[in-house]
Amino acid sequence: MTCNAIAPTAATKGVRPFRVLVVEDDRITYSGLVLLLRHYRFEVDVAESLANAREKIARGVDLVCLDLILPDGEGVDLLQELKQSSSIPVIVTTASDCPNRLRRVRNLMPEKLYKKPVNFLDLLDVIKRLSAVETRVETGPGKPGLF
């Protein structure tokens, strides 16, 4: 699912839209988040699996909003990959109560870790703050999303 819109900073500064990838397999959850982010004029794409997320990240994103439990694996593995190979900010959401999983996530230091149900307005504030970075460059394999 792709929802294209222009982030306010992009429209006013002549910079490409801020691209958010929502990695979430629950349609109700990602539909609500996509609607909210579109309202605030972000470019939003959805990946319902880790494999699909990796493909979309390779094409370039500025921020990943990542669920931890996905049909084809653990979101924490993707978080680790991103932290080791890029500077793309990652916001993690989870319904998991597993202490070992949560400890591993915290050790990888995502920009924010949310327990579901997520307060979308709080999440929006974090995304707005991260999108306010003035200098954005094209991302792709091995390229950072934010400087």
Side-chain angles (χ1 to χ4, degrees):
M1 174 180 185
T2 301
C3 306
N4 294 318
I6 298 174
T9 55
T12 58
K13 297 188 181 354
V15 179
R16 68 167 168 68
F18 191 81
R19 299 169 293 189
V20 177
L21 177 63
V22 177
V23 183
E24 171 65 66
D25 61 324
D26 181 75
R27 289 178 195 249
I28 293 171
T29 300
Y30 76 65
S31 295
L33 183 54
V34 166
L35 283 173
L36 178 68
L37 293 174
R38 284 183 69 196
H39 177 77
Y40 285 91
R41 306 190 55 77
F42 289 95
E43 182 178 303
V44 183
D45 203 355
V46 173
E48 295 181 2
S49 68
L50 290 174
N52 191 233
R54 288 180 178 107
E55 290 172 11
K56 292 179 180 199
I57 290 166
R59 287 186 241 142
V61 300
D62 296 306
L63 181 138
V64 175
C65 185
L66 177 64
D67 184 21
L68 289 183
I69 303 172
L70 295 157
D72 59 345
E74 293 275 333
V76 70
D77 295 330
L78 180 59
L79 174 63
Q80 183 171 1
E81 291 169 25
L82 290 171
K83 290 297 184 177
Q84 291 174 346
S85 65
S86 77
S87 62
I88 298 170
V90 181
I91 297 170
V92 173
T93 63
T94 188
S96 175
D97 287 324
C98 174
N100 291 335
R101 179 183 289 129
L102 295 174
R103 186 177 312 108
R104 186 172 171 212
V105 169
R106 286 187 188 99
N107 288 340
L108 290 167
M109 298 174 43
E111 277 55 41
K112 191 81 171 174
L113 171 60
Y114 287 100
K115 180 79 171 131
K116 290 181 180 178
V118 175
N119 178 329
F120 280 172
L121 295 179
D122 186 39
L123 178 59
L124 175 64
D125 286 342
V126 173
I127 293 172
K128 283 180 173 180
R129 179 178 49 80
L130 292 167
S131 73
V133 174
E134 303 257 348
T135 307
R136 292 194 289 273
V137 297
E138 291 303 312
T139 60
K143 296 181 183 176
L146 295 172
F147 282 112

